[in-house]
Amino acid sequence: AATGSTALWRRLSAWLPRGRLGLAALLGRLSDRLSRGRDRRARRSSWLLLAPLLTPPVPVITVPPCSLCPEGAHRFQWIRNLVPEFGISSSHVKVLSSPTEFYELLKVQIKTAKQRVVMASLYLGTGLLEQELVDCLEETLEKSLQAKGSSNLRVSILLDYTRGSRGRKNSRTMLVPLLQRFPEQVRVSLFHTPNLRGLLRLLIPERFNETIGLQHIKVYLFDDNVILSGANLSDLYFTNRQDRYVLLQDSPEIADFFTELVDAIGDVSLQLQQDDTVQMMEGMEHPYQGDKVTYCEIANRRVMEVINSARTRQEILHAKTFHSSQEGSSLISQQGSQASESLKPEPDTWIYPLIQMKPFGIQIDEMVTETLLTEAERDARIYLTTGYFNLTQAYMDLILGTRAEYRILLASPEVNGFFGAKGVAGAIPAAYVYIERQFYSEVCYLHQQERVQLQEYSRAGWTFHAKGLWLYLAGSDLPCLTLIGSPNFGYRSIHRDLEAQVAIVTENKALQQELHREQEQLYHCSGVVSPATFEQPNRYVKLWVKLVTPLIKNFF
């Protein structure tokens, strides 16, 4: 451990300039060095047919540091150098624990929505539970029309084109009736990756074309309430597929941000029509028929406009809040009783939206996650969980080369979402076992078994899809930060798909305890990985899977 850590910091110090360096600049240099290292590794292994897809079409957009807020409120304020910071009360944050609770909340929120329903997901399933959600949307839209004659309610749904178009009965056919009945209130956008084009698009069959890139963001918001999750809109995610779910209540600024983000992606996506055809918005570059570079540049601008404008709004809000606290009662006396009513209590929880869209050259989530792993201090504990254990080389290097303790939760073969699948997909759980064993062998080789511990989730009749991170500072029994959203910390999440999660930082003990219970509940259904784990009969990996896995691991 000491050798790996020393080597890492020796490399960092070699390019660190003399004298004092601003945090934003330090993060920029760290990101550039890590990005160059990843690019070199990608070039060495990019001899496959699909290798040209790995090259980002546009450069990363960096964001200048924020200087309006005083330092020292909490140690993670550096994240606001990159994204907007939303300060809220911890009483507005609710952690859910089960798929059923998630599903029931979705229905309740849809039925009570007055102004907007925005849902971004990989796909919408075609079963009875999914139809019930669509029926709830129809009922709410109908009530809104009857109440006012012309509805103020707007419904915007963002899905992936390839996944949402699979089969004769699919996400599109589920939603077309809503478009036909409420054409002025409903918008359905289907994102198509710009990397699936030309001969590649013609040759790769259905299901396999989804490996090239997806719309993977999972955000569900209703008026000013926002649900962040890794769960899709499918019956498994409503019944026996374990995921994570956080509700942010009465948070209009956060709801506005994610509404604008979904709108921005929707604008560069194909629009579902009432006859189940699709077309682009007028004047918009086509994702696979138009010029790829032009399309990616337009998408980059649209998304970064959302991030930067929200960040500017929050900086102004922070400045006003700071001045309000300085001026105190004099400000209230100048603006009257209305000002006193609008003043909110000091926030004890901060929300940072982290966006990753490598096809568009946006790598914010990757940068923040790598920095969190890099800066984790000795005796800090990081609980990291993913339904698909396929960490990037950069993440593995940081886990093995830094000082914090890690408890990594992953799916056992039986709870992997691909377990029992037909055809080639049925071998995917074995490929994950092979990747897991390679990483565990590296941990043992470096004598890191005590510091880096793998645990496998196992629960009869369930599958496992939870993802995220909890950070416990040294000497603390409660987490002060969690990451929750769609990324799996793998190559796909970093390079291929559109991803979003939030970093939740809190000083409130009650919320910290709630996050701690969430972590304990997930890890309670797990066993520690040891050499004996891989001697079990169900861990046998066929030779062809071992040979193929290094070639295809970047696609699943």
Side-chain angles (χ1 to χ4, degrees):
T3 302
S5 180
T6 302
L8 174 66
W9 291 110
R10 186 181 295 115
R11 290 197 298 271
L12 289 175
S13 61
W15 55 269
L16 198 63
R18 304 296 180 188
R20 299 185 62 182
L21 181 67
L23 180 56
L26 173 60
L27 294 178
R29 296 231 179 158
L30 175 61
S31 178
D32 290 342
R33 173 55 61 95
L34 292 171
S35 296
R36 288 196 295 271
R38 285 191 303 277
D39 289 342
R40 285 195 295 272
R41 285 190 292 271
R43 285 195 294 270
R44 285 199 295 268
S45 61
S46 60
W47 53 272
L48 295 173
L49 170 66
L50 305 179
L53 302 177
L54 306 183
T55 305
V58 288
V60 179
I61 304 297
T62 56
V63 184
C66 164
S67 59
L68 293 177
C69 297
E71 296 297 328
H74 57 75
R75 66 172 64 199
F76 301 104
Q77 278 190 338
W78 56 266
I79 304 177
R80 74 177 181 210
N81 292 330
L82 304 170
V83 297
E85 176 187 70
F86 301 99
I88 64 174
S89 168
S90 57
S91 61
H92 293 181
V93 183
K94 181 180 181 182
V95 180
L96 311 181
S97 60
S98 72
T100 303
E101 191 178 5
F102 169 59
Y103 180 62
E104 294 301 324
L105 179 62
L106 286 177
K107 291 193 296 182
V108 169
Q109 290 293 316
I110 290 173
K111 291 177 180 179
T112 56
K114 303 298 182 185
Q115 300 295 326
R116 59 185 171 187
V117 172
V118 179
M119 298 194 291
S121 183
L122 174 60
Y123 69 104
L124 171 69
T126 58
L128 295 177
L129 295 179
E130 297 92 320
Q131 185 61 55
E132 191 173 345
L133 281 183
V134 176
D135 292 343
C136 287
L137 286 170
E138 182 178 7
E139 178 184 339
T140 302
L141 285 163
E142 184 63 41
K143 286 182 178 179
S144 180
L145 278 176
Q146 292 176 353
K148 299 183 179 180
S150 61
S151 175
N152 292 326
L153 179 64
R154 295 293 180 269
V155 174
S156 177
I157 301 173
L158 172 66
L159 306 173
D160 181 72
Y161 175 87
T162 54
R163 185 63 180 86
S165 303
R166 184 199 293 181
R168 289 188 176 182
K169 186 177 182 181
N170 51 43
S171 305
R172 292 163 60 169
T173 59
M174 292 286 288
L175 294 169
V176 161
L178 283 183
L179 283 171
Q180 294 172 341
R181 188 168 180 188
F182 307 99
E184 300 301 321
Q185 285 78 48
V186 178
R187 178 192 192 191
V188 179
S189 304
L190 302 168
F191 173 79
H192 190 295
T193 177
N195 289 331
L196 183 63
R197 56 176 48 234
L199 189 61
L200 194 67
R201 190 173 188 274
L202 294 175
L203 293 178
I204 299 183
E206 192 176 80
R207 296 177 68 94
F208 291 95
N209 58 10
E210 298 168 24
T211 64
I212 305 305
L214 295 167
Q215 192 307 108
H216 201 244
I217 296 170
K218 289 75 179 280
V219 175
Y220 311 105
L221 72 88
F222 314 89
D223 293 339
D224 292 338
N225 300 326
V226 183
I227 302 174
L228 278 304
S229 179
N232 292 304
L233 296 174
S234 176
D235 54 2
L236 291 176
Y237 297 89
F238 304 151
T239 53
N240 62 344
R241 190 160 174 78
Q242 183 64 60
D243 215 298
R244 298 181 64 207
Y245 334 85
V246 167
L247 169 65
L248 307 177
Q249 297 174 299
D250 191 23
S251 303
E253 293 89 357
I254 301 174
D256 288 345
F257 172 84
F258 280 107
T259 298
E260 293 172 11
L261 179 67
V262 172
D263 283 345
I265 303 170
D267 288 347
V268 298
S269 299
L270 296 159
Q271 306 299 305
L272 184 63
Q273 305 299 305
Q274 297 178 37
D275 59 355
D276 196 22
T277 61
V278 294
Q279 65 182 38
M280 290 298 293
M281 291 176 57
E282 185 176 353
M284 186 62 66
E285 193 76 17
H286 199 281
Y288 62 86
Q289 294 177 353
D291 181 73
K292 179 180 176 181
V293 173
T294 301
Y295 172 81
C296 291
E297 288 176 346
I298 292 171
N300 177 288
R301 284 199 299 271
R302 286 289 289 113
V303 173
M304 290 308 301
E305 282 172 3
V306 172
I307 295 172
N308 290 333
S309 62
R311 191 165 164 272
T312 299
R313 289 197 303 267
Q314 291 308 112
E315 287 177 0
I316 295 172
L317 180 62
H318 293 164
K320 289 182 177 178
T321 303
F322 175 72
H323 290 308
S324 296
S325 63
Q326 294 293 312
E327 295 174 11
S329 58
S330 62
L331 179 63
I332 297 176
S333 62
Q334 291 174 10
Q335 298 185 353
S337 60
Q338 185 176 359
S340 63
E341 293 175 0
S342 65
L343 290 177
K344 298 180 180 180
E346 285 293 318
D348 58 6
T349 301
W350 296 266
I351 310 296
Y352 302 94
L354 308 179
I355 311 303
Q356 183 74 15
M357 300 178 181
K358 186 69 172 287
F360 304 156
I362 299 171
Q363 300 170 250
I364 297 172
D365 179 64
E366 175 188 11
M367 184 175 180
V368 171
T369 302
E370 288 185 355
T371 305
L372 288 173
L373 299 182
T374 301
E375 296 298 321
E377 58 192 338
R378 187 182 302 279
D379 296 327
R381 285 175 294 138
I382 292 179
Y383 289 77
L384 186 150
T385 178
T386 174
Y388 304 110
F389 183 73
N390 188 13
L391 301 178
T392 66
Q393 189 62 49
Y395 288 163
M396 287 192 290
D397 289 344
L398 288 169
I399 290 171
L400 294 173
T402 51
R403 300 164 293 176
E405 296 180 7
Y406 285 87
R407 299 293 180 264
I408 303 175
L409 182 62
L410 49 108
S412 64
E414 295 79 11
V415 300
N416 187 291
F418 291 96
F419 185 74
K422 298 179 181 179
V424 177
I428 290 180
Y432 282 116
V433 169
Y434 183 60
I435 293 170
E436 175 189 351
R437 185 167 190 171
Q438 286 185 311
F439 180 75
Y440 182 73
S441 297
E442 184 72 11
V443 170
C444 294
Y445 176 77
L446 297 172
H447 305 290
Q448 299 287 301
Q449 300 96 311
E450 295 297 320
R451 190 180 65 83
V452 180
Q453 189 175 97
L454 299 183
Q455 297 178 226
E456 288 187 352
Y457 186 94
S458 181
R459 188 176 180 184
W462 284 65
T463 54
F464 183 69
H465 197 250
K467 58 203 71 173
L469 177 153
W470 299 259
L471 174 60
Y472 294 68
L473 296 177
S476 176
D477 294 328
L478 298 174
C480 62
L481 176 147
T482 190
L483 302 182
I484 178 171
S486 63
N488 278 298
F489 305 104
Y491 188 94
R492 285 195 58 116
S493 293
I494 298 300
H495 293 274
R496 297 189 181 282
D497 299 340
L498 305 190
E499 306 278 13
Q501 64 179 338
V502 295
I504 302 177
V505 177
T506 183
E507 296 176 346
N508 181 269
K509 293 298 181 183
L511 179 54
Q512 289 179 354
Q513 289 170 350
E514 198 171 351
L515 294 171
H516 177 67
R517 283 193 296 270
E518 178 200 29
Q519 177 270 117
E520 282 191 319
Q521 181 182 2
L522 290 173
Y523 279 72
H524 177 72
C525 299
S526 70
V528 177
V529 172
S530 69
T533 302
F534 301 102
E535 301 302 321
Q536 301 174 24
N538 63 347
R539 304 312 169 97
Y540 173 74
V541 181
K542 296 178 180 179
L543 178 60
W544 74 267
V545 175
K546 294 180 180 179
L547 295 175
V548 170
T549 297
L551 306 179
I552 65 172
K553 64 182 293 186
N554 292 343
F555 294 90
F556 63 85

